[in-house]
Amino acid sequence: MTLLTAVKVKHYFGGLCAVSDFNLQLHYGDLMGIIGPNGAGKTTIFNLITGVYRASEGSIRLRNTELVGKTPHQITALRVGRTFQNIRLFRDLSVLDNVRIAHYAQADYSPLEALLHIGRYRREEQRIIENSQRLLAIFKLEHLAGETAKNLPYGLQRRLEIARALAIGPELLLLDEPAAGMNPNEIDLLMEFIQWIRTEFKLTILLIEHQMKLVMGICERITVLDFGETLVEGPPEVIQNHPKVLEAYLGEGPVG
Amino acid sequence: MSALLRSGWEWFIAQRWLMMVFLIIGFVLAFAIPEYNLLNKYVQLVMMYVGINIILTVSLNLVNGYMGEFSLAHAGFMAVGAYTAALLTQKVLPIAAHPWLFPLAVLMGGLVAAVLGLIVAVPSFKVRGDYLAIITLAFLMIVKSVIENIDYIGGPRGIPGIKKLTTLPWVFFWVVVTVWVVRNFVYSKYGRGVLSIREDEIASDLMSVNTRRVKFMAFMVSSFFAGIAGGLFAHLLQFISPRVFDIIKTTDVLIMVYLGGIASIGGSILGATAYTVLLELLRPSTVAAMLAWLPAMVFDPLNEYVISHLGVWRMVIMPLLLVLVMLYWPRGIMGLREFRWFVPKRDMEAHHCLNKPTGGSHDAADGR
Ligand SMILES: Nc1ncnc2c1ncn2[C@@H]1O[C@H](COP(=O)(O)OP(=O)(O)O)[C@@H](O)[C@H]1O
Ligand SMILES: [Mg+2]
């Protein structure tokens, strides 16, 4: 069963063509990687999927819904969660509130109930707190619930960002360079962790990563992007030795 | 000794039920003070101004503090509320026979202001920061010139002879309603949405927050209570004109917001109270009375050159004060912190901060 399909997606920033011909098919439960040199358009693709930018051409479909033209919160409410290459937490808010905010679409109460704290408000708020605490506990952050997000060390901020993305209740999770700034030990842990949340939360994962160890280690399929174009797609063994890939990465060091 | 004081204070702020007690005492006093003249008329008047300013400050804090925009339109919403309520009590409602219709007039003022708040919210979808500030300033100027050009409501001369219907109990009532509703709003998914927009609007949208709806609501609630304050103000001052609601009025409220601290209801209450009392103390007549003990040799020139011109200096000093507070004291008295009694128990416990030795806070549980 296909979860996400991107067909001939194109995107221009003014005159610059950041994504020229992107194609992708993602099945339920897939763990797919996107690699490519800096500026290849990987982050832009995430922004197109999540509605931050509107694709200039082409189509992106989630299940049977066209995503092009939808706003980010509409797309997110379709159970698409994401993290960011440069951490984008709500820095001045508490760890708990960071996770609680991501429950916005699920919180089932009206403005009037919110203004008067009546009706479904209490039950829903209680449920949101419990779910947030459950997520924080999974990420071993529960004792930091009241801490301001910006006071967390870098590694914990990365973790909190994933916890917040999971609070959406996603079926599709987009991870933008989750291993950035991590040492080899931490990357090993992260690899295990991604595998674990994948089964635990029944996720389909699309991840962008420069760390070949991680990509080759856990992704079942890999898409290589160069100058906004899908270069090749296939399992890690094929990608690793593909001449086109080696060429694209020339000057960036060997792959793997 | 200080440890004892501290633990006493800790005990005190843990007793949330005391808030109800204070509320009841407040209502009793609000009725008793004017009834039995427990305080002189002037002090009563100042108390009512304090209350109106609390309503203005708490409501503006929603947009300028919690949401992090810089709206200058507040005096405009206040004007709309004031004119609507005054027209209703002067020309429409049979208020002489039925004085209890007064709250209805005030409520209508708030509702009309809220509708205009929706209109100001629309440009906030597209622009932020300085640009939005300019748009809200334009709104303020439009409101003023529209009022000036409608003869039916007195044009530039305004409406004189408004009945004095604002009383201490009514002011107290509306203050309680404002604080309660704004606090409820802040501690809901919409309020957290407002906070997240201040932090990072795109990330907020990507975390499923319907940012447009949240902005609509914030502007509506904010302008609604500005309108309420306007209605109360009109029926206290008994005279309104477009000049009353100019940029200086907005500046006053801005100072109270930033002095008290952004994103804090408790801070707004403190900021509004401190600033209103300070302004009263700095009136030429008050200052002259306070310094009358000085020898005439000193007092007379002082009075002639400084004190009697305080009204003019105000136009210089107040904007300067706003700049200084924003530059050097961006957190104000309790920016980003909150009175514990205002934080719902559920939120407090979830943040594990019931036993922390600091004032509670809605977002960061540690009170820095
Ligand atoms: N908001 C933007 N405005 C203009 N150009 C952009 C913008 N975002 C990205 N780009 C450009 O698009 C290209 C792809 O960027 P990006 O998707 O961030 O690359 P990657 O994530 O693969 O490193 C780059 O040339 C970048 O400079
Ligand atoms: Mg990138």
Side-chain angles (χ1 to χ4, degrees), chain A residues 42-43 85 176-177 208:
Chain A
K42 304 181 296 296
T43 299
Q85 184 174 348
D176 197 345
E177 303 198 18
I208 296 171

Side-chain angles (χ1 to χ4, degrees), chain A residues 88 94 107 109 115 117 121, chain B residues 184 187 189 199-200 351 363:
Chain A
R88 286 180 87 159
S94 71
Y109 57 81
L115 290 175
H117 280 195
Y121 168 86
Chain B
N184 285 352
Y187 294 101
K189 66 171 184 172
E199 294 292 314
D200 184 339
H351 279 108
D363 41 18

